[in-house]
């Protein structure tokens, strides 16, 4: 099998297109890694570099790349430069002659059509064809690519046609690709080369880097830097597994480091994988001390990164439980499953986290309930709380580890609830007291009205009965006070005469002592004094009659 590569880089453009200094450096770096006998294995004579070429040279070189090849030949076309689409979405590779007209439209003859590349690929006998495009809108290259064995347009994956064909693009058909500030190479190309040089793109650790592994490595690295950029790969069958490079790690320690990276991506090594590594390090003649040092160095970042993923899942799950008070809904559970997969966590990773957080949240909610119940009971006894009780509840918050916002919310709600409760008690007490004073004992109709009001105020029978008993006791006690004052007033007047000044003072003192209402006292006095007044009137009438008789017949005879 012969490996042949055509590397095209265009940094300089006509007016209207931005220069791309990294493009020339991209193809030089790609040449170096491909020509390395320990990595790419391409013969230097089989690698062609085109720097800022004219359109005709580009087309001739592409023609030559695919023409007259054997089935076993591996052909690589790499392009770094501007990609331009026309109004129909067709892709063109810009050359140093490419320009736009006064309307801002592409002058088509100055650029290389992707369709031209499609045609040359389709005409080639090679079953191992790779196209790598590091350009804007490079994803559009796959659109319209004809199937090798069919003459009609088919879906994108089918459009790629033929076994062993792979197209790698730095962006989708609608995205701008770009250079990264501060870097010599374009973003996508930099990670392609890095993956081959370091061997890190050998994802299955078989010491060979296939084209799909290389793309996946670069894609992940690109999206770590620019999450919005989405490199793509289009291929079928053997195209994914075209072997582009091999892994060259001369240092045994470096080889062991790579194996540890392969088996320790979760920050730890399983018993089975430990056995594999033991065999491997024996083969490489690495001592236990050297192996332990390598493992510590390699696993440390994996442990940190894995712990970060666990922590992220824990934080999100905690927020979910706080939001969904009762149980996790089916929709949220599916979202958590998606998150778990995104974070590359297993069930055995997340189940302990969920159990721990669930117990913590349950315990915390129980603490909130305990704090709420204790505060409510205290406020029902005494409101507002005195300083000693306030201090007790402050200590309780600390002991139960209750967050201040939650405590403040509970306190506000409980105070409002207790205040409303006391208002309801006062409202029922007032209604019952008025009813008692209007008519005692209370009749059936009034009792029904009071029952209805009790229900509206959400008071229990026990609470209502306590209020009624207290109000009735007060009513009866007050009635006794009224009777006591009435009796004292009757004794002072005997129903015949107004009390003298000294007796009036004693009566006033009696009123104050027993706490008699002024109006009620006045009513009692009015009734008693009415009798006294009636008696006094009778005395006056008798006196007047007697005086009249005396004046007429004095001395009075026995008759």
């Amino acid at each position: 099998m012969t490996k042949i590569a055509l590397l095209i880089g265009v940094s300089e453009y006509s007016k209207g297109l931005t220069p791309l200094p990294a493009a020339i450096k991209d193809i030089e770096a790609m040449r170096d890694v491909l020509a390395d006998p320990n990595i790419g294995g391409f013969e230097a004579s089989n690698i062609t570099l085109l720097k800022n070429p004219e359109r005709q040279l580009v087309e001739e070189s592409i023609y030559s790349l695919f023409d007259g090849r054997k089935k076993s030949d591996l052909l690589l076309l790499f392009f770094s430069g501007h990609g331009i689409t026309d109004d129909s979405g067709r892709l063109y590779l810009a050359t140093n002659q490419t320009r736009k007209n006064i309307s801002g439209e592409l002058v088509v003859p100055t650029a290389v059509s992707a369709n031209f590349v499609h045609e040359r690929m389709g005409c080639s006998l090679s079953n191992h064809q790779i196209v790598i495009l590091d350009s804007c809108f490079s994803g559009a290259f796959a659109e319209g690519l004809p199937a090798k064995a069919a003459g009609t347009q088919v879906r994108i994956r089918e459009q790629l046609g033929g076994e062993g064909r792979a197209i790698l693009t730095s962006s989708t058909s609608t995205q701008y690709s770009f250079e990264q500030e501060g870097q010599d190479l374009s973003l996508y190309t930099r990670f392609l080369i890095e993956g081959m040089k370091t061997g890190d793109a050998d994802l299955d650790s078989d010491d060979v880097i296939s084209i799909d592994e290389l793309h996946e490595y670069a894609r992940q690295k690109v999206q770590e830097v620019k999450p919005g950029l989405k490199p793509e790969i289009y291929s079928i069958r053997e195209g994914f597994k075209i072997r582009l490079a091999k892994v060259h790690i001369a240092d045994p320690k470096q080889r062991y480091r790579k194996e540890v990276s392969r088996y320790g991506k979760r920050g730890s090594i399983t018993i089975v994988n430990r056995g594999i590594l033991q065999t491997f390090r024996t083969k490489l003649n690495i001592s236990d001390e050297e192996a332990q040092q390598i493992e510590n160095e390699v696993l440390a970042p994996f442990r940190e990164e894995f712990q970060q993923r666990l922590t992220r899942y824990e934080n999100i799950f905690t927020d979910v439980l706080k939001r969904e008070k009762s149980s996790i809904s089916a929709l949220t559970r599916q979202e958590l499953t998606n998150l778990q997969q995104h974070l590359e966590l297993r069930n055995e990773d997340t189940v302990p986290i969920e159990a721990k957080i669930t117990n913590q949240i349950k315990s915390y909610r129980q603490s909130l309930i305990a704090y709420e119940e204790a505060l409510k009971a205290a406020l029902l006894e005494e409101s507002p709380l005195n300083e000693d009780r306030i201090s007790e509840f402050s200590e309780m918050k600390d002991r139960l580890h209750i967050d201040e916002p939650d405590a403040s919310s509970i306190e506000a709600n409980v105070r409002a609830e207790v205040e409303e409760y006391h208002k309801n008690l006062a409202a029922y007490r007032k209604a019952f007291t008025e009813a008692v004073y209007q008519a005692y004992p209370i009749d059936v109709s009034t009792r029904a009205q009071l029952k209805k009001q009790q229900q509206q105020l959400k008071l229990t029978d026990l609470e209502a009965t306590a209020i009624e008993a207290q109000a009735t006791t007060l009513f009866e006690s007050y009635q006794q006070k009224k009777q006591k004052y009435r009796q004292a007033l009757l004794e002072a007047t005997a129903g015949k005469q107004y009390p003298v000044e000294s007796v009036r003072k004693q009566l006033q003192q009696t009123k104050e002592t027993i706490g008699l209402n002024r109006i009620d006292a006045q009513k009692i006095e009015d009734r008693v004094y009415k009798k006294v007044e009636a008696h006094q009137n009778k005395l006056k009438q008798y006196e007047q009659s007697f005086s009249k008789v005396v004046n007429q017949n004095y001395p009075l005879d026995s008759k």
Side-chain angles (χ1 to χ4, degrees):
M1 179 180 71
T2 303
K3 295 182 176 181
I4 305 168
L6 172 61
L7 313 180
I8 305 170
V10 185
S11 295
E12 300 172 359
Y13 293 92
S14 301
K15 185 178 181 180
L17 291 175
T18 306
L20 298 175
I24 298 299
K25 297 177 182 178
D26 285 347
I27 61 173
E28 291 174 341
M30 185 63 71
R31 174 199 58 196
D32 293 343
V33 74
L34 292 177
D36 189 325
N38 294 315
I39 303 177
F42 283 68
E43 295 290 338
S45 59
N46 288 333
I47 301 176
T48 301
L49 264 69
L50 297 183
K51 300 181 179 180
N52 299 314
E54 295 181 352
R55 182 195 61 79
Q56 183 172 347
L57 178 58
V58 172
E59 291 190 352
E60 290 179 357
S61 298
I62 292 174
Y63 182 91
S64 297
L65 174 66
F66 293 103
D67 183 52
R69 303 304 176 185
K70 299 177 181 179
K71 290 183 178 181
S72 61
D73 289 343
L74 189 157
L75 309 180
L76 169 64
L77 171 61
F78 176 85
F79 176 81
S80 178
H82 278 299
I84 304 175
T85 56
D86 60 17
D87 292 341
S88 299
R90 292 185 291 265
L91 178 69
Y92 294 82
L93 306 182
T95 69
N96 69 344
Q97 297 171 308
T98 301
R99 67 182 186 276
K100 297 181 180 181
N101 60 26
I102 58 175
S103 300
E105 297 174 344
L106 172 68
V107 178
V108 172
T110 65
V112 177
S113 169
N115 285 336
F116 172 76
V117 183
H118 296 168
E119 292 173 0
R120 301 322 308 158
M121 292 175 71
C123 292
S124 178
L125 295 178
S126 169
N127 282 337
H128 308 288
Q129 302 176 19
I130 301 172
V131 175
I132 302 176
L133 303 179
D134 193 347
S135 65
C136 298
F137 314 118
S138 53
F141 184 85
E143 298 178 6
L145 188 62
K148 183 174 182 180
T152 58
Q153 298 293 335
V154 290
R155 293 190 299 273
I156 287 180
R157 285 193 179 278
E158 295 170 346
Q159 288 172 348
L160 301 172
E163 296 179 351
R165 183 178 295 183
I167 289 86
L168 279 64
T169 66
S170 62
S171 63
T172 67
S173 60
T174 59
Q175 286 182 317
Y176 286 96
S177 184
F178 49 83
E179 299 172 290
Q180 186 182 10
E181 186 176 350
Q183 297 292 334
D184 291 336
L185 304 180
S186 300
L187 188 61
Y188 185 56
T189 298
R190 173 159 66 92
F191 290 122
L192 291 175
I193 292 171
E194 177 184 285
M196 289 188 285
K197 275 188 173 182
T198 62
D200 289 344
D202 178 18
L203 303 182
D204 60 6
S205 298
D206 62 353
D207 293 335
V208 176
I209 299 174
S210 57
I211 197 65
D212 62 313
E213 290 179 310
L214 181 59
H215 169 77
E216 181 60 20
Y217 174 83
R219 182 193 67 79
Q220 291 181 6
K221 290 291 187 178
V222 166
Q223 291 191 320
E224 287 176 5
V225 177
K226 295 292 181 182
L229 196 62
K230 297 180 179 180
E232 295 186 348
I233 182 171
Y234 305 91
S235 181
I236 61 171
R237 298 178 187 173
E238 294 179 6
F240 273 119
K241 289 301 177 184
I242 295 176
R243 296 183 171 189
L244 180 62
K246 57 185 177 180
V247 178
H248 175 64
I249 305 178
D251 184 359
K253 292 182 181 180
Q254 187 63 23
R255 287 184 64 85
Y256 186 69
R257 181 181 297 274
K258 187 173 184 297
E259 289 301 304
V260 173
S261 298
R262 177 184 178 185
Y263 293 111
K265 291 183 178 180
R266 306 182 69 79
S268 61
I269 298 174
T270 65
I271 295 176
V272 175
N273 290 338
R274 172 64 64 192
I276 296 174
L277 288 175
Q278 179 65 48
T279 302
F280 198 72
R281 76 190 192 198
T282 300
K283 178 181 177 181
L284 295 174
N285 196 26
I286 295 176
S287 68
D288 292 344
E289 292 76 13
E290 290 173 328
Q292 187 62 54
Q293 181 179 356
I294 291 172
E295 289 174 14
N296 290 339
E297 292 174 357
V298 172
L299 295 179
F302 282 122
R303 290 192 188 104
E304 182 179 357
E305 189 271 338
F306 181 63
Q307 188 57 49
Q308 288 174 349
R309 286 185 278 137
L310 291 177
T311 301
R312 184 178 178 189
Y313 187 86
E314 180 175 329
N315 292 338
I316 293 174
F317 185 78
T318 300
D319 291 340
V320 166
L321 277 192
K322 288 181 177 179
R323 181 190 64 198
E324 302 198 8
K325 301 294 184 181
S326 54
S327 61
I328 296 177
S329 65
L331 176 60
T332 302
R333 173 51 67 186
Q334 182 58 50
E335 291 174 344
L336 286 171
T337 300
N338 294 340
L339 173 65
Q340 176 183 334
Q341 294 171 351
H342 177 75
L343 296 175
E344 298 180 0
L345 298 176
R346 303 167 299 180
N347 287 339
E348 48 263 47
D349 299 323
T350 59
V351 168
I353 291 175
E354 293 190 7
K356 181 186 75 171
I357 300 303
T358 299
N359 290 333
Q360 288 178 352
I361 296 293
K362 182 178 179 181
S363 177
Y364 185 69
R365 287 175 179 168
Q366 290 173 343
S367 296
L368 294 180
I369 292 172
Y371 183 74
E372 181 178 4
E373 290 177 347
L375 181 62
K376 184 176 180 180
L379 286 173
L380 287 173
E381 293 177 1
E382 175 189 15
S383 182
L385 300 178
N386 59 41
E387 292 184 1
D388 290 340
R389 298 306 300 275
I390 292 175
S391 178
E392 289 178 12
F393 280 100
S394 178
E395 293 175 0
M396 185 177 184
K397 283 190 291 186
D398 294 339
R399 185 173 66 256
L400 296 176
H401 304 290
I402 296 177
D403 295 337
E404 192 56 41
D406 290 331
S408 298
S409 177
I410 289 174
E411 290 162 7
N413 291 336
V414 169
R415 285 194 177 95
E417 184 179 348
V418 169
E419 182 179 352
E420 183 68 19
Y421 175 72
H422 283 304
K423 286 182 179 179
N424 291 345
L425 291 178
Y428 188 75
R429 183 179 294 107
K430 179 181 178 182
F432 184 81
T433 301
E434 289 176 351
V436 167
Y437 276 85
Q438 288 177 2
Y440 185 79
I442 297 174
D443 58 32
V444 175
S445 175
T446 303
R447 171 58 67 184
Q449 293 176 359
L450 288 170
K451 184 64 177 180
K452 182 177 180 180
Q453 187 167 8
Q454 171 195 333
Q455 294 171 346
Q456 290 174 345
L457 295 173
K458 300 179 182 179
L459 298 177
T460 65
D461 290 343
L462 185 62
E463 292 166 337
T465 300
I467 290 173
E468 293 173 5
Q470 183 183 29
T472 301
T473 298
L474 290 175
F475 172 76
E476 292 175 347
S477 175
Y478 190 70
Q479 292 298 107
Q480 291 174 0
K481 291 178 181 180
K482 288 168 62 176
Q483 183 61 29
K484 183 177 180 179
Y485 181 67
R486 181 173 179 278
Q487 187 62 36
L489 190 59
L490 287 174
E491 291 176 357
T493 61
K496 297 179 179 181
Q497 57 186 9
Y498 293 104
V500 297
E501 185 62 27
S502 60
V503 175
R504 285 181 180 276
K505 290 181 179 181
Q506 290 178 355
L507 290 171
Q508 180 63 33
Q509 187 175 0
T510 300
K511 282 193 295 185
E512 294 173 356
T513 301
I514 65 178
L516 194 61
N517 182 280
R518 183 179 63 81
I519 297 175
D520 291 334
Q522 186 63 51
K523 290 180 179 178
I524 293 171
E525 291 169 359
D526 289 345
R527 287 195 294 269
V528 172
Y529 288 154
K530 187 175 182 180
K531 293 181 179 180
V532 172
E533 183 179 2
H535 181 71
Q536 291 294 324
N537 289 335
K538 291 179 181 180
L539 289 178
K540 287 181 180 180
Q541 291 177 2
Y542 179 77
E543 182 179 357
Q544 291 174 357
S545 299
F546 183 79
S547 297
K548 183 177 180 181
V549 171
V550 169
N551 290 333
Q552 292 177 354
N553 302 296
Y554 185 82
L556 299 177
D557 55 26
S558 59
K559 295 181 180 179

